[in-house]
Amino acid sequence: MINTTFRDEWFPNVQKNVLAGLTTSFALVPECIAFALVAQLNPLMGLYGAFIICALTAIFGGRPGMISGAAGSMAVVIVALVAQHGVQYLLATVVLSGILMALFGILRLGKLIRMVPYPVMLGFVNGLAIVIAMAQLEHFRQATPHGETWLQGTPLLVMGALVALTMAIVYLLPRVTKAVPPALVAILGVGVLSHVLHLPTRTLGDLAHIAGGLPALHWPAVPLDMATLHIIFPYAALMAMVGLLETLLTFNLTDEITETRGQPNRECIALGASNIVSGVFGGMGGCAMIGQTMINLSSGGRSRLSGVTAGVMILLFILFLSPLIERTPLAALVGVMFVVAQQTFAWGSLRVLGKVPLQDALVIVAVTVITVFT
């Protein structure tokens, strides 16, 4: 029984899961860089966090197929902490938030997510789909001496054309073959096309340079006293709460899509442990990422192998492949994320709004609006 379970969790359709993990890794990189910049951190901290959290939750977590990494929802929480107290206090906060997450799982509170009403889940999914789409619009802006402005003229036309080409490949390729993930073909194909034709379009390298070494073990350099705890505990508690909520809601969605049942308490413990490891190796905190999870699932990723592949590939990007990865057009990644947003949104919820009880309809709309604006 144990061998069967191990095989089912790790090695069903190895090729498809490895390719799904590779596809997901491309989508993780720009998100983690952007979230690190939001938190006023070195982009490598976001990538190290993504590698550690993605790989460890894939190996030890309770939900094969779900992707975790350095998440934007947690980055927003710690902006003020980094500005006021610096990076070392952030790393201590990540460690403490990991302890709180693990305790949540140890106390077997993860099962409480089963009590979330379905209208809340619909609102959450719809809200995140809108957030994913809106986040891509930032890539249509460029820095100028007078601040940021929207792309215009040729750069806008090239960006729009490449985004449209990427989306067309993702939608149409499955009609021809399902042997490879369409998102991976779209990213690589558009990347090669833009390089061969020397198209004037922004690349990952324009966001940040990602070359670096292995993450080093380094305990956060902060005093271990009550004054430090007084500073970091409110942020750690907020990070843990946000991370657990987003993880468990994404967990529920993954259960629904795969028609399987995961182990929420195990996922909470693994998420907490991975955040602790990330903090002592200089990485950001993180949780489940619904956009990257959708890419993984739609690419055929169902096993732990796809998550491990995504995490390990990020480390390989940092160590060896940064010159190649930095040439990836942002337009290709934007196109893939637009498709993810479209596929994540529960369009059926719009058709039933007038048919379900009024209170359920109000909950769906309210949760969607709150998710988008907060």
Side-chain angles (χ1 to χ4, degrees):
M1 180 66 181
I2 294 175
N3 289 335
T4 301
T5 302
F6 179 83
R7 190 166 59 248
D8 290 344
E9 289 188 350
W10 279 94
F11 300 117
N13 206 327
V14 171
Q15 178 181 337
K16 180 172 283 190
N17 279 279
V18 168
L19 289 175
L22 176 59
T23 307
T24 306
S25 67
F26 279 102
L28 275 167
V29 172
E31 300 281 305
C32 294
I33 290 174
F35 298 151
L37 294 176
V38 165
Q40 301 175 25
L41 299 171
N42 185 325
L44 281 176
M45 291 185 66
L47 295 174
Y48 286 146
F51 153 60
I52 293 169
I53 294 170
C54 185
L56 291 184
T57 54
I59 295 170
F60 300 109
R63 179 60 273 175
M66 190 167 76
I67 301 296
S68 297
S73 55
M74 296 180 75
V76 173
V77 169
I78 45 87
V79 172
L81 174 67
V82 175
Q84 294 173 17
H85 300 283
V87 170
Q88 295 303 314
Y89 277 84
L90 163 67
L91 297 178
T93 303
V94 172
V95 172
L96 181 56
S97 71
I99 294 172
L100 296 176
M101 292 176 187
L103 283 174
F104 189 88
I106 291 169
L107 295 173
R108 306 187 68 79
L109 298 175
K111 60 186 178 183
L112 295 177
I113 196 63
R114 306 288 186 201
M115 298 171 64
V116 174
Y118 191 64
V120 173
M121 276 297 301
L122 282 178
F124 170 75
V125 169
N126 289 349
L128 279 184
I130 295 170
V131 168
I132 290 169
M134 290 173 60
Q136 308 314 308
L137 299 180
E138 285 299 312
H139 296 304
F140 287 85
R141 299 174 68 88
Q142 62 182 351
T144 68
H146 306 291
E148 283 197 341
T149 61
W150 293 101
L151 293 175
Q152 297 178 356
T154 301
L156 177 60
L157 290 175
V158 172
M159 182 82 170
L162 292 179
V163 168
L165 176 61
T166 301
M167 295 176 70
I169 293 172
V170 174
Y171 282 125
L172 298 177
L173 185 64
R175 299 183 181 183
V176 179
T177 177
K178 295 184 179 180
V180 290
L184 180 61
V185 174
I187 292 169
L188 295 179
V190 171
V192 170
L193 178 67
S194 64
H195 178 68
V196 170
L197 299 181
H198 303 288
L199 298 177
T201 188
R202 297 177 68 210
T203 64
L204 264 179
D206 294 323
L207 286 184
H209 295 295
I210 65 172
L214 287 169
L217 179 61
H218 173 70
W219 186 258
V222 298
L224 298 177
D225 55 23
M226 291 303 295
T228 298
L229 186 62
H230 180 73
I231 292 171
I232 69 173
F233 184 80
Y235 290 99
L238 192 54
M239 283 182 71
M241 182 168 64
V242 170
L244 287 168
L245 276 172
E246 188 156 354
T247 294
L248 290 172
L249 287 168
T250 305
F251 183 102
N252 259 8
L253 179 63
T254 307
D255 273 6
E256 184 181 319
I257 292 172
T258 61
E259 298 181 343
T260 59
R261 293 290 288 269
Q263 303 172 61
N265 293 316
R266 179 176 171 179
E267 186 65 33
C268 294
I269 295 170
L271 181 66
S274 64
N275 271 274
I276 294 170
V277 174
S278 182
V280 297
F281 277 92
M284 283 177 60
C287 62
M289 303 176 72
I290 189 169
Q292 283 66 25
T293 296
M294 290 297 294
I295 288 175
N296 185 52
L297 295 175
S298 63
S299 300
R302 292 291 190 275
S303 75
R304 298 186 184 277
L305 189 60
S306 62
V308 173
T309 300
V312 171
M313 284 306 303
I314 290 176
L315 182 61
L316 294 179
F317 292 162
I318 296 170
L319 298 178
F320 308 113
L321 303 175
S322 58
L324 290 175
I325 300 306
E326 288 177 4
R327 296 179 186 175
T328 305
L330 286 175
L333 302 172
V334 169
V336 169
M337 295 308 290
F338 274 146
V339 174
V340 167
Q342 180 269 317
Q343 293 177 343
T344 301
F345 195 92
W347 297 99
S349 63
L350 298 180
R351 293 194 296 271
V352 302
L353 276 181
K355 302 175 184 178
V356 298
L358 178 61
Q359 60 267 32
D360 286 350
L362 290 175
V363 166
I364 294 172
V365 174
V367 174
T368 300
V369 172
I370 292 170
T371 303
V372 170
F373 285 98
T374 64

